[in-house]
């Protein structure tokens, strides 16, 4: 039987599927639903130093990009209850009581804010790990930090120098990269510091979705510009997971996120090197039941392929060498196919003497030609 156990940053996780920091993660009620599902981790909403209401509504919309490609665009602007809520005794006890690791996400509006939040979170027993969000593209007037390599380097240097840094494993959420030199530059910076994992990848920033019928942008903030998520992002996420799995130190884990709606999506991210997989857009539309469903689908795929653990296939993506294998038929399909051929054979046997008789009759003049 397939086993979905894994580790992220040295933390043992019972199931490699869990939530992305974003949809349905803002309060204890929402976080508890995640913890009650098969999700292996409960990850809180990215926190700022003080509570934020976020950008004007509507700021999140889902839309189809093909029959099997649900997509989303958002410019949330980090609405959250503030760091003190997510590290409070009430929330921490509520999550740890569900026997799941509790991760806190930090997305300060300045380095000073991040260091202050880090100080508070590192002191709280019951928080298993910190995810530092360097990837948010939706704060008006603020750049995406992961694209400013000098700033990213400076932030990581300061964070890793914090006197409480070693209290808990710290991971970094990254923006999506597209050019090979950018992958290499980011990896060179990340490899300098004792971080434990990276999360690849956040939404594709500053996309624009248009409502052509009403001749307007799909969302209100920033003139309609926002982060593109969902199925459209999956090939980018696969590429980022693959690149960083190959470029980072062996002791830095990679967590994949982007466009996951099924067990096969999760399987492909793991095949590219991910040690765990997060779900965002589908969590928003389906709710916490998506973690249980995707985990079950992943187990079924692993059982079919004969894998007992994700380590047996993680990072073992093959380069193209031959045409894809023809799908093997199941026993039922083979049986149905055999029945079809037998039926056709018997029909031909019945029709053959009739056809011969018709031709003979025509030759003897009994039928007009």
């Amino acid at each position: 039987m397939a086993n979905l156990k894994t580790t992220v940053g040295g933390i043992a996780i019972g199931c490699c599927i869990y939530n992305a920091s974003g949809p349905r993660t803002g309060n204890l009620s929402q976080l508890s639903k995640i913890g009650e599902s098969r999700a292996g981790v409960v990850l809180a909403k990215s926190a700022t130093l003080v509570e934020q209401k976020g950008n004007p509504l509507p700021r999140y919309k889902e839309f189809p990009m093909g029959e099997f490609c649900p997509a989303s665009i958002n410019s949330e602007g980090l609405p959250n209850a503030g760091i003190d809520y997510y590290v409070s005794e009430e929330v921490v006890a509520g999550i740890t009581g569900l026997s799941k690791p509790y991760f806190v996400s930090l997305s300060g509006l300045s380095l000073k804010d991040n260091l202050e939040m880090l100080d508070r979170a590192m002191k709280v027993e019951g928080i298993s790990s910190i995810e530092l969000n360097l990837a948010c593209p939706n704060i008006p007037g603020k750049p995406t930090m992961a694209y400013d390599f000098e700033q990213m380097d400076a932030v990581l240097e300061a964070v890793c120098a914090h006197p409480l840094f070693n209290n808990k494993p710290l991971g970094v959420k990254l923006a999506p990269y597209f050019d090979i030199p950018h992958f290499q530059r980011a990896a060179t910076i990340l490899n300098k510091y004792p971080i434990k994992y990276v999360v690849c990848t956040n939404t594709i920033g500053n996309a624009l979705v248009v409502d052509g019928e009403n001749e307007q942008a799909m969302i209100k903030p920033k003139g309609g510009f926002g982060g593109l998520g969902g199925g459209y992002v999956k090939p980018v996420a696969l590429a980022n997971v693959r690149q960083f799995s190959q470029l980072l130190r062996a002791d830095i884990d990679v967590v994949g996120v982007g466009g996951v709606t099924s067990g096969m999506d999760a399987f492909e991210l793991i095949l590219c090197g991910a040690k765990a997989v997060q779900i965002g857009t589908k969590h928003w539309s389906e709710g916490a039941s998506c973690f249980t469903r995707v985990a079950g689908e992943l187990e079924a795929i692993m059982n079919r392929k004969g894998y007992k653990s994700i380590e047996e296939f993680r990072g073992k993506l093959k380069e193209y060498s031959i045409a894809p294998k023809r799908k093997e038929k199941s026993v039922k399909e083979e049986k149905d196919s055999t029945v079809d051929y037998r039926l056709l054979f018997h029909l031909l046997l019945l029709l053959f003497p009739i056809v011969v008789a018709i031709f003979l009759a025509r030759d003897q003049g009994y039928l007009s030609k």
Side-chain angles (χ1 to χ4, degrees):
M1 291 290 293
N3 190 322
L4 301 187
K5 290 181 180 180
T6 189
T7 59
V8 173
I11 298 169
I13 295 173
C15 176
C16 62
I17 308 297
Y18 68 101
N19 67 290
S21 178
R24 299 180 183 268
T25 58
N27 57 57
L28 179 57
S29 174
Q30 294 174 328
L31 295 171
S32 295
K33 290 177 182 177
I34 298 168
E36 291 163 359
S37 75
R38 284 198 63 187
V41 170
V42 178
L43 173 60
K45 182 82 170 175
S46 286
T48 50
L49 188 58
V50 297
E51 180 182 2
Q52 285 203 164
K53 298 300 183 183
N55 291 335
L57 299 172
R59 59 196 183 199
Y60 181 96
K61 288 287 183 70
E62 292 190 9
F63 57 95
M65 296 194 73
E67 184 178 359
F68 301 107
C69 189
S72 66
I73 187 166
N74 86 86
S75 183
E76 295 268 282
L78 290 176
N80 72 97
I83 186 61
D84 287 338
Y85 175 79
Y86 299 108
V87 303
S88 67
E89 183 178 351
E90 176 193 9
V91 173
V92 174
I95 302 305
T96 55
L98 297 170
S99 301
K100 300 284 178 72
Y102 178 41
F103 288 15
V104 170
S105 175
L106 308 181
S107 190
L109 303 183
S110 67
L111 174 57
K112 181 180 178 181
D113 285 0
N114 275 325
L115 293 174
E116 176 60 32
M117 291 192 293
L118 186 70
D119 188 77
R120 298 181 192 185
M122 284 291 188
K123 293 176 180 177
V124 177
E125 187 177 351
I127 295 174
S128 299
S129 177
I130 308 296
E131 182 183 289
L132 180 64
N133 184 359
L134 301 182
C136 183
N138 297 322
I139 305 300
K142 299 288 183 180
T144 301
M145 197 175 301
Y147 291 145
D148 184 340
F149 293 118
E150 287 76 16
Q151 185 182 18
M152 183 168 78
D153 196 353
V155 167
L156 289 176
E157 182 179 17
V159 165
C160 293
H162 190 283
L164 299 179
F165 175 80
N166 291 318
N167 281 17
K168 306 177 191 296
L170 181 135
V172 176
K173 186 169 187 177
L174 298 173
Y177 296 100
F178 303 92
D179 291 338
I180 298 300
H182 293 165
F183 284 113
Q184 295 169 337
R185 181 76 183 279
T188 298
I189 294 170
L190 294 164
N191 283 331
K192 290 167 56 178
Y193 299 104
I195 62 171
K196 299 301 183 182
Y197 61 94
V198 297
V199 180
C200 303
T201 174
N202 202 10
T203 56
I204 299 175
N206 294 306
L208 180 64
V209 180
V210 173
D211 177 355
E213 189 63 33
N214 293 302
E215 304 179 16
Q216 64 181 18
M218 189 77 79
I219 57 175
K220 185 178 180 67
K222 295 173 58 181
F225 290 91
L228 184 65
Y232 191 75
V233 179
K234 180 185 158 188
V236 177
L238 291 169
N240 276 256
V241 167
R242 186 64 171 168
Q243 287 284 351
F244 282 110
S245 294
Q246 295 174 329
L247 293 171
L248 293 177
R249 296 191 320 264
D251 64 322
I252 300 179
D253 295 331
V254 177
V255 177
V257 58
V260 176
T261 64
S262 69
M264 183 55 76
D265 294 329
F267 180 86
E268 291 173 8
L269 280 166
I270 297 168
L271 191 64
C272 287
K275 290 205 72 175
V277 174
Q278 296 180 356
I279 303 177
T281 295
K282 198 63 177 174
H283 179 204
W284 178 270
S285 61
E286 186 176 329
S289 62
C290 71
F291 305 113
T292 301
R293 177 182 59 78
V294 171
E297 292 174 359
L298 176 58
E299 283 175 331
I301 292 167
M302 290 171 61
N303 286 330
R304 175 168 60 83
K305 289 177 172 286
Y307 294 123
K308 295 182 179 179
S309 74
I310 68 170
E311 287 302 313
E312 292 182 3
F313 65 94
R314 186 179 67 84
K316 296 180 181 178
L317 178 69
K318 303 171 186 175
E319 292 189 6
Y320 180 88
S321 60
I322 57 174
K325 291 175 62 177
R326 181 177 64 87
K327 179 184 174 183
E328 295 182 2
K329 293 183 178 180
S330 66
V331 173
K332 182 179 183 304
E333 289 174 328
E334 291 285 1
K335 183 178 179 181
D336 291 343
S337 176
T338 301
V339 171
D340 289 343
Y341 282 121
R342 287 176 179 173
L343 179 61
L344 180 60
F345 177 73
H346 287 297
L347 285 173
L348 289 173
L349 284 179
L350 289 172
L351 289 172
F352 181 75
I354 297 173
V355 172
V356 170
I358 291 172
F359 276 102
L360 288 174
R362 290 183 61 182
D363 288 343
Q364 297 297 322
Y366 293 111
L367 294 174
S368 59
K369 294 183 180 182

